[in-house]
Structure formats: C-alpha cells, structure tokens
Amino acid sequence: MADARASEDSQTDPAPRVRVPGRVRLVNRLGILVLLVAAVGAIWWTNQWLTDRFSENTRVRSELRAALYTGNLLSELQRTAVVPLLLARDPALIGSLSSKEYSTVSARLIAAQKEIGAASIRLLDNSGRTVGATDRKLLGTNYVLQPFYVEALRTNDTVFTVAEAETGGYDFAYSRAVIHEGRTLGVIVVGADLNRLERSWSGILDAVAVTDSEGRIILSTEPRWRGLTLDDALAVRSAPSAIERAFQVTADWSTRPADAYVRGKAVMQSEARIPFRGWRMTLFTTFDSIRERVNAFLALEIMGFAILLAAGFYLLSRRARVQSARYRRESADLRALNARLTREIAERERVQRELRVAEQTVQQASKLAALGEMSAGVSHELNQPLAAMKTYLAGARLLLERDRGDEALTSFQRIDDLLERMGTITRQLKSYARKGGESFEAVDLRVALSGALTMMEPQLRHRRVRLQRSLPREPVMVHCDRIRLEQVIINLIRNALDATRTVRDPSIELVVDKLSHAHLSVRDNGPGVPDLEKLFEPFWTTKGPGEGTGLGLAISSGIVADFGGRLTAHNRDSGGAVFDVELPLYEPQARGARSLAAE
C-alpha cells in the first residue's frame, strides 16, 4: 500500500527538482558568448569589406562624372570663345559703328544669340557706351571701367573675364575689340552661359563646385558657396536638430571616414583639374547609396545569426522553466527567513537602545566611584581650612578686645579666602557628580585640564609623582560638554597614576597644542599597554580583580567620538604609554552658518 502511494506521488509531481551541473551552465554561457562575439566580428568585417568595395566603385563613378562635367564646361567655353572673333569681323556691325547708326544692331545681335546659344551679346562703342544688346534694358549703359572693356582695348586678341553679377553669382564673358582700317571702333562682348551647366548639375544628388586659380568658388550647385574658398564653404553648415545629429552619428560609425559634410551629410570628395586658367572642379558624393547596398547584405547576415541565437535561447529556456519551478518553491522559504530576520533586527535595535541607557548609567556610576575615592582627600582639604578659620577667629577676638580693629580685619580677610577655597572644592565636586548632557559650548581645553587637575589634586598630593604641563599661551577652543570632557581627562590621569604605581621615579606629562585640530596628550613612564587592540573594548582591563571595571577607556572613547574627535593610544619607545585626544577646533562663523542653513 505504501509503495503504491509513493508511486502515485512520483507520477503526479509536476516539477521535479533538476540539478544542472555548474560545468554545463558554464559551457552554455560560453557557447552563447562565442556566438555573439562571432556574430559581431563577422558583421563588422562584412561591413568594412563591403563599404570599402562599394566606396571604391562610387569613387570611380564620381571621377568619370567629373571628367564628363569638365568636358562639357570646356566645350561651352570653346564654343563661346570664337563668337567675338566672328562678330568683330561682321561688316554690318563695323558699318554701324563707323556711321554711328545703331537702329538695327540689337536685332542683329538677338538673331545671332539664337543661332549661337550665348548667354548675352553686347556691342560697345569706343567710349564704352552700349549701343546694341540682346537685353535692350542695357542700351546706353557705360562700361568704360569694366575689365572686359579695358582688357579688350589693350590687346588685339579675345580676352576672358569673370565679374560678379549684380543679381549674385558671376558673369563669364569673352570680349574683343572691333578694329577697322587700324582704328578701334568699339568692343564686342559675348557672355558664356555657364549657369546653364550649373543648373544641370543641380539635378543630381552630388554637390559640384568650380574654383578659379585663386581658390575662389565661381560655379556651384550650392548658392551659398559662391565667392568663398572651399574650406570656408564647407564650414558653412546649418545647425542640425537632435534627430539629425543622432542619424549623423549612426551613419558616421557605419561608413568610412567622411571627407567633408554637405547639408549635414557625410560625403566623399573627389577633384579634377580643368585645363583652363588653373580652374579645378570638386565633386561631393553622398554615402547613401553605399549604405543602402551594404545594409541589404548585413540584414541577411544578421537574420542568419538571429535564427541561430533564437534556437540557442529556445534550448536554454527549457532548462530555465525547470529552474523557475524550483525558485518558486525556494521563494517561500526566503520569505519566511526574511520575516524572521526582520524580527531579529527589531529585537537587536531594542537591545541597542537599552545598551545605550545602560552605558549612560555606567558612566555616572564611574564618576560616583571616582568621587568616592576622592572623598577622603577632599575631607582633609576641608578640615584644614576649618582648623585655620578657628585659629583666625580666636586671634580676631583677642585683637578686637584689645581695640586693634585693623589687624582683626586682616584675619577676617583670610577667613573669607578660606571660605572661597572651600566653595571652589564643593562646586567642583557638585559639577563632577552631576550627569553631563548634550548642551555643547565653547570650552578652552587648557581650562578643562586645569579643572580636572583641581579635582585630582587630593590624589596627586598623596602620591609622589612628577607632573609636567606644556600649554600654549593662546586659548585652544573646542565645542563640547565641559563636564564630560573633564571626566575624560580625569579618567586618563587616573590611568596614568595607576600605571606608574610600581615605577621608582613616576612621571606624567600633559601636553596641549593646536594645529589643524586641538590635541591633548597624557604620557606616563609606566610599563605600557600589553594589548593595544583590546584597549578600548568594554570590560577589558590590566588591573587586578576588584581594582577596575574595564569601562573607563571605552566610555571615554565614546564621549570623545560624540564630540567629533577620536581617542588613540600607543606605547613609547622609551617606555610608557601615550593617550592622545584629538578634537576639532571651535569655529564660531562656520558653526553659525550651519545653524542658519538648518533653520
């Protein structure tokens, strides 16, 4: 019966615990990592190889296109260059200039323009005035100072000039002097229609620029470039939007380094020399066509790797489903553990609060214990002034009976001094017995040391010990509770007295100095501390049973830490121990600024 029940339980268990060895998991992860690295490497190499190959093909096509554009430009210039020579020999134009009869000149020039296809034709007389033109609006305009007129008169040959047009861009003109019988009658000016070529170039995706021998752009499909150098023209770029910048960054990493940027796009730059007056033609070809062709191949490659990764993740997902079932079972245990830990943390916080209360109680008990040790010496200190007061009173009575009042006043003054001394002793005892609070104030470290020595004076008188003090002249101000600070100093001096109990020539040195912090050092010539690591642990002491609780240094360290300082100890090379108290200096301005900021 039990065997059958066990068999049913094994058959109905929906998710048996499967433990996959760590080596299998490591192999699976390494396999996926290798596949990812291989995919990234293959895609990167394919992108580089295809980009270089297609970029080279695009560069070759760009160079062929530049050769074609150069031939068209030269053909237009050569075709226009022979027109001034023919018109300068036209008898009709010569006759009009000789007879100064210009009524039919413009009509003849318009007819010639239609046959030749020139941009414009103008006939100037020997004074530079336009007497005939294809554009009748120019009749009467004087060009006596224009380069095409001046240069044509200086030579008997056809001259070529480039001048800035009033409407923007440049005018290209061939001019030649009209000479008849050795006399110059005028100048014929024929404009070359190079802007027509510029308009035909703008119909393609490439940007084209033609520069003269000075590097100035005279023809360009970008109107903003005319008149600039090529470097200045490429620097003229409109501010791209955030989306355009994102696309630009994406395109830059996936293509070859760009030669330049046109309209915010990376372009390939190719140059061709024009055999005419040192002109050069520069073509800018975008990488868009290259990127589209490369992306088509990369998409197929990425799809193949994606299929392989999908198959790998499918195999791993089967194991993940088995593990998820196990994790669900373990999550219930973790929640129970979390609840238990929460309860333990709450209990620990409660114990810590109680421990802090107990620590404050132990501090007060330690002070009262020290107060009890000083009671014998204090009673002796009070008995001495009382005995002296009795003597002074008896003397004063005798002096008054003998009418010696002035001398009696001196005795009364001495009695008043003794009363002040007794009040000082009782105030010190009262303040030491009172429990210190959190009312911090500015305290002079030298005054705190003097107050502690006053409290320890009865014990110091009953011991033969050499006490040395080294104090600066200026105050050493710290921000703390004066009573608790004196408690720390008294505790350190008492430890130094106990440490030098068995020394032949006991010595205690107290040093106060001020650098970046306030420092107080208590040095003795005792045997030193055997275990510095446990020195500030509670209930650890080097004294015998019944001589100490081991809480003095632990409490003192906590008090100094509350003041923002630290208490350290080390052994001297010459013998003895050194306890250093380091406290931050009191800065009224900085502390006041923090108080205002808190408000």
Side-chain angles (χ1 to χ4, degrees):
M1 188 69 177
D3 294 338
R5 185 176 302 168
S7 177
E8 290 178 0
D9 293 340
S10 62
Q11 291 177 0
T12 57
D13 189 1
R17 178 168 296 185
V18 179
R19 294 186 179 274
V20 179
R23 182 175 298 178
V24 175
R25 290 196 297 268
L26 180 60
V27 170
N28 292 335
R29 294 175 182 174
L30 289 177
I32 294 176
L33 180 61
V34 170
L35 183 59
L36 289 175
V37 172
V40 172
I43 293 172
W44 179 83
W45 181 85
T46 303
N47 176 69
Q48 294 294 324
W49 182 72
L50 292 177
T51 301
D52 293 340
R53 182 177 178 181
F54 293 149
S55 297
E56 189 63 29
N57 294 339
T58 302
R59 187 177 295 277
V60 171
R61 288 197 301 270
S62 177
E63 292 175 355
L64 294 176
R65 191 179 293 111
L68 177 62
Y69 293 166
T70 301
N72 294 338
L73 181 60
L74 289 175
S75 177
E76 181 66 22
L77 291 172
Q78 292 172 359
R79 186 175 61 85
T80 309
V82 299
V83 176
L85 178 61
L86 297 176
L87 294 178
R89 297 177 181 178
D90 188 1
L93 297 180
I94 294 174
S96 298
L97 290 173
S98 299
S99 62
K100 300 187 182 299
E101 179 62 35
Y102 308 117
S103 59
T104 61
V105 172
S106 296
R108 187 169 182 80
L109 293 180
I110 292 173
Q113 179 191 18
K114 292 180 180 180
E115 294 178 2
I116 298 171
S120 64
I121 303 176
R122 286 167 287 178
L123 180 62
L124 312 180
D125 60 7
N126 54 6
S127 64
R129 185 173 61 88
T130 304
V131 296
T134 55
D135 186 0
R136 296 182 185 273
K137 296 179 181 180
L138 300 177
L139 292 176
T141 306
N142 196 298
Y143 296 102
V144 68
L145 298 178
Q146 294 298 324
F148 55 79
Y149 179 80
V150 177
E151 295 295 333
L153 294 179
R154 289 179 180 176
T155 178
N156 294 328
D157 199 359
T158 303
V159 297
F160 178 80
T161 57
V162 180
E164 295 185 7
E166 295 179 358
T167 58
Y170 292 89
D171 289 334
F172 307 92
Y174 283 97
S175 59
R176 188 181 181 92
V178 179
I179 303 174
H180 180 65
E181 295 179 354
R183 187 166 59 91
T184 301
L185 302 178
V187 175
I188 186 72
V189 181
V190 180
D193 192 7
L194 300 184
N195 294 326
R196 177 176 57 83
L197 297 176
E198 192 179 58
R199 288 190 297 271
S200 66
W201 297 339
S202 62
I204 59 177
L205 296 177
D206 302 332
V208 183
V210 177
T211 58
D212 58 9
S213 58
E214 297 178 355
R216 180 183 56 181
I217 298 177
I218 55 178
L219 288 173
S220 176
T221 57
E222 296 289 332
R224 297 180 300 173
W225 291 4
R226 298 190 187 103
L228 303 176
T229 62
L230 192 59
D231 293 338
D232 294 339
L234 293 176
V236 178
R237 299 171 59 185
S238 59
S241 63
I243 297 178
E244 291 175 346
R245 288 196 299 268
F247 280 120
Q248 180 176 322
V249 171
T250 305
D252 289 347
W253 73 265
S254 60
T255 59
R256 296 177 63 181
D259 297 331
Y261 287 90
V262 177
R263 304 191 194 114
K265 294 183 178 180
V267 294
M268 179 190 303
Q269 180 177 341
S270 58
E271 295 184 357
R273 187 179 64 85
I274 302 175
F276 180 78
R277 294 178 174 268
W279 288 11
R280 301 186 69 85
M281 178 178 288
T282 306
L283 274 71
F284 300 95
T285 307
T286 61
F287 288 92
D288 293 342
S289 59
I290 300 173
R291 193 71 259 151
E292 291 174 358
R293 298 170 64 184
V294 172
N295 288 343
F297 286 94
L298 293 180
L300 295 176
E301 189 173 9
I302 292 173
M303 186 181 298
F305 283 111
I307 293 174
L308 291 178
L309 285 175
F313 283 121
Y314 172 74
L315 296 176
L316 293 177
S317 65
R318 297 180 62 185
R319 181 173 61 87
R321 286 194 298 270
V322 175
Q323 290 181 343
S324 64
R326 184 181 63 187
Y327 293 154
R328 284 194 297 270
R329 290 192 298 267
E330 293 178 353
S331 63
D333 298 337
L334 291 176
R335 285 193 295 269
L337 178 60
N338 187 25
R340 187 167 62 253
L341 290 176
T342 303
R343 292 192 298 270
E344 292 180 357
I345 290 173
E347 182 67 20
R348 183 181 296 273
E349 292 177 351
R350 185 185 61 80
V351 172
Q352 288 178 351
R353 288 194 298 269
E354 295 178 355
L355 180 61
R356 284 194 294 269
V357 175
E359 182 179 350
Q360 294 178 358
T361 304
V362 171
Q363 292 179 8
Q364 187 67 11
S366 176
K367 292 167 59 176
L368 294 176
L371 193 62
E373 293 179 5
M374 292 184 291
S375 60
V378 171
S379 62
H380 177 70
E381 289 293 326
L382 293 179
N383 287 331
Q384 287 180 348
L386 288 174
M389 289 170 58
K390 185 176 181 181
T391 304
Y392 286 138
L393 286 174
R397 184 182 299 109
L398 293 176
L399 291 174
L400 289 176
E401 291 176 354
R402 299 176 183 178
D403 295 331
R404 298 166 60 182
D406 295 337
E407 295 181 7
L409 290 177
T410 302
S411 299
F412 290 138
Q413 181 63 39
R414 291 178 180 178
I415 293 172
D416 185 67
D417 293 340
L418 291 174
L419 289 174
E420 179 64 25
R421 175 177 176 80
M422 294 173 65
T424 301
I425 295 174
T426 55
R427 281 196 301 270
Q428 290 285 349
L429 290 174
K430 184 178 180 181
S431 64
Y432 187 76
R434 187 173 67 251
K435 189 174 183 180
E438 298 294 335
S439 57
F440 285 11
E441 59 182 348
V443 178
D444 190 351
L445 188 57
R446 303 176 305 167
V447 175
L449 178 60
S450 299
L453 290 176
T454 302
M455 294 297 298
M456 294 294 297
E457 184 176 357
Q459 300 183 35
L460 293 174
R461 288 185 176 182
H462 288 86
R463 284 283 310 278
R464 188 179 60 84
V465 59
R466 184 171 69 255
L467 185 65
Q468 300 177 0
R469 285 188 293 177
S470 176
L471 304 178
R473 294 182 178 180
E474 65 276 3
V476 182
M477 304 304 295
V478 294
H479 193 252
C480 62
D481 182 3
R482 183 181 60 82
I483 297 175
R484 299 175 68 192
L485 178 60
E486 291 181 358
Q487 178 185 352
V488 172
I489 299 174
I490 290 173
N491 195 7
L492 296 179
I493 297 176
R494 288 178 56 196
N495 287 342
L497 288 174
D498 294 338
T500 57
R501 192 184 302 274
T502 59
V503 178
R504 177 178 300 178
D505 187 12
S507 173
I508 298 176
E509 184 179 359
L510 304 175
V511 179
V512 176
D513 59 359
K514 177 176 68 174
L515 296 173
S516 61
H517 288 70
H519 294 271
L520 168 64
S521 295
V522 180
R523 308 169 185 175
D524 61 66
N525 60 346
V529 180
D531 193 348
L532 292 173
E533 294 182 358
K534 298 182 179 180
L535 183 61
F536 297 103
E537 293 183 2
F539 305 108
W540 186 86
T541 180
T542 58
K543 301 177 182 179
E547 297 182 1
T549 61
L551 293 175
L553 290 178
I555 294 173
S556 299
S557 178
I559 294 174
V560 175
D562 291 341
F563 297 160
R566 61 175 182 173
L567 174 62
T568 59
H570 63 275
N571 292 323
R572 304 171 65 178
D573 296 336
S574 59
V578 179
F579 288 85
D580 291 324
V581 178
E582 180 180 327
L583 295 172
L585 293 173
Y586 175 66
E587 299 178 358
Q589 296 180 354
R591 192 169 302 277
R594 285 194 293 268
S595 300
L596 290 176
E599 294 177 0

